[in-house]
Structures are given as structure tokens and as C-alpha cells.
Amino acid sequence: MKFRTTDSQSRAGSSTKLGIWAMTVSGLCLAIAAAITIGQDRGTPIQPNKEILSAQDLSTAFKTIAKETFPGIVAIETQGKAVESLGGGLNLEDFFKSDPQFEKFFKQNPNLRPKSETQPKRRIVPQGQGSGFIINKEGYILTNNHVVEDAELITVRLSDGREYEAKLIGTDPRSDVAVVKIEVEDLEPIPLGNSDETEVGEIVLAFGSPFGLELTMTQGIISAKGRGPGINEREDYLQTDAAINPGNSGGPLINLRGEVIGINTAISSRSGGYDGVGFSIPINMAKWAADQIIESGSVRRAYIGVVIQPINNDLANQLGLQVNEGAIVSQIMPGSPSDKAGLETGDVILQLNGRPVGGTRQLQGIVEQLAVDKSYPLEVYRNGKRKKLTITMAEMPKTLSLTSNEDGDSPERQEETESYNAEDLGLNVQDLTDDLAEQFGYPESASGVIISSVEADGVAGRNGLQVGELIEKVGQKKISSLKDFQAAMKDADLDKGVLMLVRRGNFTRFLVIKSDAR
């Protein structure tokens, strides 16, 4: 508060001020006394109990792991091939070329249209950064393929600041794994663990260079295993809530034994940064790929040539199996190992090479690590019975075709056909003619009845069936004509559910059609 006074007012004001100062000093004394009391309370050491000692032990463990791990962490910087770009700022015409209003504007004002050919060009060198970690004393470093992809120059910086140009040994784009190498002595590799033994809830530490901040460590847990968010062809990610951000890619995910159990690869984020959901490649998968890259420069994968689906609740009830017990075969590639082994559409693969199959990604993991040209025992569930087969692995081709005829000869088709109204299902079907096959993109080998109309609120519509789809199987019965379909549906129980194999284009899937679907 401000006071303005004359001389006489000043004297009176002096006594007033003294009173205020007295109050202030008195309050100050109280405050000092309180501070002394509080200081004395805070100065009393807390007697550590069991919980505090455990927390201190955990903190000590984090510090020890950081000290042992940082020497094996590297920052990676890349330069790509130089490209020419138009200089002189933003090309508005290119920026707004998809907007018809701006196109109209440029037509009405031709003098304002940028002249691309007159703009100066400049050379831009794409640059990137990421992380990696040393896996042996020979100088091999594990990272992500997307960190070093298309790089013409790879620079590796060690934890002590030394920089070296790295040689790209090889990559595996399917799993997003890459190996680079530096010629340096006195390296300190990080030990590799066993990601198969990792459990949900386990404490983990993520290392790397987020946003270029080198030698960063964050802490979290394993949130889930076996994730497949659709980032790469080959996925079986560990999910973690340890903070992972741009620049962490290629860095290790470490357990409390100081072992690498994953390669930090991706995040699920609406903001572009850490949102609590990160994904790491299991180190067992990465090591398998890295060993081949180091040995031969590339990864050779086996395949069996099937399209598979997981056993969900509806399929499990129809087949008499448990949820995620095996993987059901919805398509077989002609001439593939599965075709030659005698697999059939609708078989459920239960075991391969003595290992139980607990879903599609697990089957993929088992298959790709088997030896090419070697034979293995295969157990399937067919028509309610277990059946043993033998399958010989082949190398996965670069392109996979599903369009050939699985059964050999192409079916004969009528040029004209009648339709059948399946009232219980709320759809109309008709025989597949050559014209309809061409119209909807079905190969010559395709057979079944094609859906010509669907009631949106009918059973078929509520279960996701659509016009143009081809019904190839009902239950265990193959469908080649309207008569086959009518006979198969005669004893069908929609309350319990009816298993159907449905094709759209070149891909098929199993559906359980139920009357109570919503």
C-alpha cells in the first residue's frame, strides 16, 4: 500500500509505520521460530523400513545397469543421397494443387502462377538419426532397418564421444532389423537376454537418443506381448510404457539383469511423441535375423504357403476347440509346401515341429525359423479329428500368389443362372458365371455362390456379409452351385451359428453366421 503525506502527516505517519514494523518484526520472529521448528523436524532422519530399503535397492539397480549399459549404446546419424529441390520458398501451386478454388484463382490470375522452371534449384541431403547397441567385440551393432534405410553415409558415435563411419552389413525390412559394423577395439557389448522368458509386468529400461538427447534412459514395464499393430510384415512386438520417442529407434530395451530383451522400434501416438505405448522387437527374433545377416548379408526365411486366421470365440465354439488353440487355414497357395503336404482349407494347425501353436503370430514365428528344405511333423485338426502330416519347408518367395487354382482344374460355369433367396439369412445368392467372376475380380479357379443382394438388418448383413462376396464353404461342405448351398443350409442352425468360408477378391476368411449377431 502506498501513502502520500505532508510534514505533519509524516510524523503521524511515522508512528503508524512503527506500528506496522512492530507487527512485521513480530510476525518475522514467529516465522523464524516456525522455520526453526520445521527445520528441526525435517532434519530428523527417517528410519528406513523394509519398503524404503527395497526402493533404495531398486534405485541402486537402475544406477548399476545404467553404468554397465551406456558404454554399449551408440548414437547413429545418417545421410542419404542428395536430391534437387526448388528453392525460393514454398511453391503455393504445388501446395494447393488439390484445391479447386486455388486452381480457379491461379487461372484468373495467371501472372501470380509460380514459374517452376524459373525457380532456382538447390541440393538437399536427407539426414536422419537413431540409436543402436554393440552386440560383440568385433564391432557389430544392432539397430532398426528404418534408421539406416537408403543411407549413403552412416556415422556411429560411441558413449565417450568417438565417431566412426560404419559399414552396412545387411538389413531385414520384414522385421525392421539391421546390422552395421565399425572397426574399433576395446568395445563393450551389451549381453543379450531371452525375450521368450520375458513376462508382462517385468520392469524394463529403454535406452537411446530421443530427439537427439544421447545416452538417455527411461523406465517402465512390459505392458503386453505378441502385439501386431500392422507396422511391419513380421511382428511379435513387446509393448512397453517406458518412454520411447523419435531418436530411440534402434536402442535396446533392457531387463533388470542388464540384458537386451528388445529393440525399441515404434510408438502408438496421437501427439507424435510419447503417449505410453511403445513397441520393441523381441531380441530372440532380432538375433535370429542378425545372425543370418552377419553370416550371409541377408535373411532367408521359410514359409508354408497358407493364409491363416486366429481361433476366436465363435470359431472355437463351432470347431470344438479352445480360443487361440491353433490357427485355421483359410487359403492355401498352389504349389506351396502346405499344398504339397496335403493341407486343406479349414484345417486347424495345432502343432509344428512338436511346438504347440497358440495363434497366427506364434505359427509365423515357428515357421520362419525352421530350416529351408528340411521336413518337419505337422499336426492338424480336420473334421473333428487330429491328423498328422509331414511338411517340407521352402524359402519364402519375394512375391506370393493366391490366384491359381488350388484343386487343379477350373470349374465349369453356366452363362445364365437363377438366384436363390435365403430368407433366413436375408440374402440372395446365385451361381458364379464367367461374367460375374470378371466383374468382381475372381480368378478362373474360384467356385461357389455369389451374393447378389443383402438385407442390411438381416442375419447376413449383421454378420458382415456383402454383395459380391463368394460363399465357398458352408460347414465342411464345399459349395459349387446353388443346389450345394441349399443342401448345406437345409440343416443349418443359425441360433448355434453356421461356419462359412467367404471370399472377396483373392482373399478368403472364415465367418460364423449367427442369428443374434448385432
Side-chain angles (χ1 to χ4, degrees), residues 26 69 188 224 292 302 334 490 495 502:
S26 175
T69 301
E188 298 185 40
Q292 291 195 64
K490 187 176 181 180
D495 291 333
V502 180

Side-chain angles (χ1 to χ4, degrees), residues 317-329:
N317 291 335
Q318 283 289 309
L319 299 170
L321 297 171
Q322 299 295 319
V323 174
N324 286 329
E325 183 182 2
I328 190 168
V329 176

Side-chain angles (χ1 to χ4, degrees), residues 69-252:
T69 301
F70 277 138
I73 304 295
V74 303
I76 297 176
E77 294 181 353
T78 62
Q79 291 185 8
K81 186 177 181 180
V83 295
E84 289 189 344
S85 176
L86 294 176
L90 180 67
N91 188 331
L92 292 178
E93 184 178 15
D94 286 344
F95 189 77
F96 292 114
K97 63 184 177 182
S98 61
D99 191 319
Q101 293 298 323
F102 279 91
E103 180 60 28
K104 182 180 178 181
F105 171 81
F106 282 124
K107 284 183 178 179
Q108 293 173 348
N109 302 273
N111 293 332
L112 297 178
R113 185 183 292 273
K115 304 298 183 184
S116 300
E117 62 274 10
T118 63
Q119 291 183 351
K121 292 183 177 180
R122 56 176 179 166
R123 290 174 64 81
I124 295 178
V125 179
Q127 297 183 338
Q129 62 181 21
S131 306
F133 56 97
I134 301 165
I135 59 174
N136 59 32
K137 289 184 176 293
E138 285 70 41
Y140 288 101
I141 294 169
L142 204 52
T143 186
N144 284 135
N145 171 65
H146 74 261
V147 171
V148 297
E149 189 174 21
D150 299 325
E152 290 204 331
L153 175 65
I154 302 171
T155 302
V156 166
R157 185 161 48 252
L158 302 181
S159 62
D160 59 11
R162 289 179 293 168
E163 291 187 0
Y164 299 92
E165 183 177 336
K167 176 183 178 182
L168 180 63
I169 302 302
T171 66
D172 179 37
R174 280 192 165 110
S175 65
D176 199 15
V177 170
V179 178
V180 301
K181 189 176 189 292
I182 55 176
E183 300 295 337
V184 185
E185 296 181 355
D186 68 359
L187 294 175
E188 298 185 40
I190 307 174
L192 305 185
N194 184 350
S195 53
D196 290 344
E197 296 177 352
T198 300
E199 297 183 3
V200 174
E202 187 172 333
I203 294 175
V204 288
L205 305 169
F207 290 80
S209 305
F211 304 112
L213 300 171
E214 297 178 17
L215 300 178
T216 294
M217 179 179 82
T218 58
Q219 176 263 326
I221 63 170
I222 295 294
S223 305
K225 296 179 66 175
R227 293 300 198 201
I231 302 169
N232 296 305
E233 288 184 37
R234 181 67 189 94
E235 299 181 330
D236 193 19
Y237 288 122
L238 301 173
Q239 180 184 328
T240 179
D241 67 346
I244 296 175
N245 284 292
N248 270 116
S249 288

Side-chain angles (χ1 to χ4, degrees), residues 24 38 54 90 118 164 167 294 296 330 337 348 358 439 443 477 479 506:
T24 305
I38 293 170
S54 296
L90 180 67
T118 63
Y164 299 92
K167 176 183 178 182
I294 293 171
S296 63
S330 59
V348 178
Q439 178 183 346
K477 183 174 178 56
I479 305 300
N506 290 325

